[in-house]
Amino acid sequence: MRRSTATRRRPSTIALRDLMSEALTGILQRPARAILTALGTVLGVGAFVAILGLTATASSQIDARFSVLTATEVTVEDVAKESNHFADPAFPADADERAGRLPGVREAGVFWTVRTDTRTTVRPSLAATSDSGETTSVMAVSPGALRAAVPHLAQGRIYDEFHEQRAEPVAVIGSAVAAQLGITTLTAQPAVFIGEQPFTVIGIVDDVERKAELLLSVAIPRATAEAIWGPPRDEPASMLISTKIGAAAQVAHQIPIALRPDHPEYLKAIPPPDPRSLRSGVNNDLSQLFLLLAAICLIIGAVGIANTTLVAVLERTGEIGLRRALGARAHHIVAQFLSESAALGTLGGIVGTSLGTLTVVAVAVAREWTPVIHPVTVAAAPGIGLLTGIVAGLYPALRASQIQPVEALRR
């Protein structure tokens, strides 16, 4: 027996416009609570955008520093004794000049630690006793090596090829050594004594970009050290090379032949580490750490939305019962509360994205960096806020849908 068309049960539906209207009405009824509820998502999404943006910005700065310093430095070691125990020092007298002829080399020079005896004593005057002096490292550093270290002078100047060729007794000292020796100014042309040898201090260095040990040492010209104490003993010499960006690997390959075409095996060139793998490792570690922090912020925001929505369900039990009595189905109640939490999540996502972007720009400007934010991060952030709102409102919405009309109206 067929049912008549009039007696067929028509499916209960709710228009999307009506659903959004209900959600907006529910939010506007309690604006203060809605703002506090959305605040959790604002903070979560804002932290998400800010953390990812600051990670990308910091990574770009790391890339730049790796390229400028690490990727432009080559060290060459004297390993002649390993091949031939009776071999002379591997670096020729004109090592600086030979290295400078290679394409891509900015500055290059030889250096080693001077061993005058078992205890190298630097004294501010000849009258000072050996016991009153400070045991300080003395380094023979050619002018090219000194320039390759990129020193920042507090006073005076560094020595050059003129001092090197004439084996002048001059010295450049670190600021810490100057303080130990009581040298505060170079106006009176102060001298320091290494053993019995006087050296006029012509420069005080307060910072270097390479070879930090120079700050705690007395640097003298290579030729001067050889004239007084002979070639390096015990500890072999090394060469420091500063190159143009991208030339370090090629220079490292060519330098042993350029310096010693007869015995290139006497020299070992150490190129910089591959900056791509190094940057990748650092960036991955930063990204994983900050993504975890962002996820924690989003979870906190979701818990805030879920808690506030659940309280709203308990307060609106009578309203829910009345809606059910008037024909609203369980899925209508679910859709209503989900739309409210989704709207709050989306609003919080939009505001949080804006605040996170402003935070990245402000920090970058304050640090004089270039702000970097991936477009995908900005585009996805409001969607993450929406998803957070839906997930947070799912349990309260399901609980609201299980309220029976009769029990709700009795309260």
Side-chain angles (χ1 to χ4, degrees):
M1 182 172 164
R2 293 184 178 179
R3 294 182 181 178
S4 63
T5 305
T7 59
R8 286 182 184 176
R9 190 177 222 181
R10 300 181 62 184
S12 178
T13 60
I14 182 171
L16 179 61
R17 186 177 65 178
D18 295 335
L19 186 63
M20 298 305 297
S21 177
E22 289 288 342
L24 182 60
T25 302
I27 293 174
L28 294 179
Q29 282 180 348
R30 300 171 180 83
R33 175 178 293 178
I35 292 174
L36 293 177
T37 303
L39 185 60
T41 309
V42 170
L43 296 178
V45 174
F48 177 81
V49 174
I51 287 172
L52 292 184
L54 291 174
T55 301
T57 301
S59 297
S60 69
Q61 299 303 311
I62 292 173
D63 289 352
R65 295 194 178 187
F66 276 140
S67 298
V68 172
L69 290 179
T70 307
T72 58
E73 179 180 330
V74 176
T75 302
V76 185
E77 296 180 351
D78 182 350
V79 294
K81 295 296 183 181
E82 298 179 8
S83 302
N84 183 356
H85 183 72
F86 299 99
D88 293 329
F91 291 103
D94 59 344
D96 293 23
E97 183 181 354
R98 293 190 185 190
R101 294 173 187 161
L102 290 179
V105 173
R106 291 186 181 275
E107 300 289 350
V110 177
F111 66 93
W112 70 85
T113 301
V114 174
R115 304 292 183 188
T116 60
D117 48 31
T118 57
R119 184 172 183 263
T120 302
T121 303
V122 178
R123 292 173 290 164
S125 67
L126 187 59
T129 63
S130 298
D131 293 337
S132 65
E134 296 288 344
T135 302
T136 304
S137 174
V138 178
M139 297 186 67
V141 185
S142 68
L146 196 57
R147 290 192 296 267
V150 193
H152 298 272
L153 289 165
Q155 296 184 55
R157 52 166 296 188
I158 61 174
Y159 50 78
D160 53 25
E161 281 72 15
F162 173 82
H163 302 92
E164 175 77 9
Q165 293 171 2
R166 295 171 56 90
E168 292 287 338
V170 295
V172 174
I173 64 177
S175 55
V177 177
Q180 289 176 355
L181 299 177
I183 298 175
T184 58
T185 179
L186 300 182
T187 305
Q189 297 182 343
V192 295
F193 285 80
I194 303 174
E196 302 298 322
Q197 298 293 329
F199 289 82
T200 302
V201 179
I202 63 172
I204 299 177
V205 177
D206 61 2
D207 194 14
V208 291
E209 294 188 9
R210 298 183 178 93
K211 302 299 297 178
E213 55 265 38
L214 288 173
L215 297 176
L216 301 175
S217 306
V218 175
I220 62 176
R222 171 192 179 184
T224 306
E226 288 183 337
I228 299 174
W229 296 292
R233 297 180 297 173
D234 302 329
E235 181 179 336
S238 299
M239 172 174 274
L240 178 64
I241 304 175
S242 171
T243 72
K244 297 178 181 178
I245 296 177
Q250 185 67 23
V251 169
H253 177 70
Q254 296 176 346
I255 192 66
I257 300 175
L259 295 177
R260 289 299 300 266
D262 55 337
H263 288 289
E265 70 277 8
Y266 284 2
L267 297 170
K268 178 183 177 182
I270 304 175
D274 183 3
R276 291 175 296 180
S277 59
L278 195 57
R279 287 197 303 256
S280 177
V282 174
N283 291 344
N284 288 339
D285 291 342
L286 286 175
S287 298
Q288 292 174 7
L289 173 62
F290 289 141
L291 276 175
L292 177 62
L293 295 176
I296 293 174
C297 292
L298 286 175
I299 291 173
I300 294 174
V303 171
I305 292 179
N307 181 63
T308 307
T309 306
L310 184 60
V311 171
V313 168
L314 297 177
E315 290 181 350
R316 297 164 64 181
T317 301
E319 174 191 338
I320 295 170
L322 180 60
R323 288 178 180 272
R324 293 296 305 275
L326 294 176
R329 301 292 182 85
H331 65 273
H332 294 155
I333 303 299
V334 171
Q336 177 188 349
F337 282 93
L338 277 183
S339 62
E340 290 185 16
S341 61
L344 289 173
T346 303
L347 179 62
I350 294 173
V351 177
T353 301
S354 302
L355 292 179
T357 303
L358 290 175
T359 300
V360 173
V361 173
V363 172
V365 170
R367 301 283 298 180
E368 296 183 354
W369 293 350
T370 300
V372 178
I373 303 178
H374 201 285
V376 175
T377 302
V378 178
I384 293 175
L386 170 63
L387 182 62
T388 302
I390 293 175
V391 172
L394 187 60
Y395 172 73
L398 291 175
R399 179 163 179 173
S401 67
Q402 295 172 0
I403 296 177
Q404 297 300 319
V406 177
E407 295 180 2
L409 293 174
R410 284 176 179 174
R411 297 182 183 180

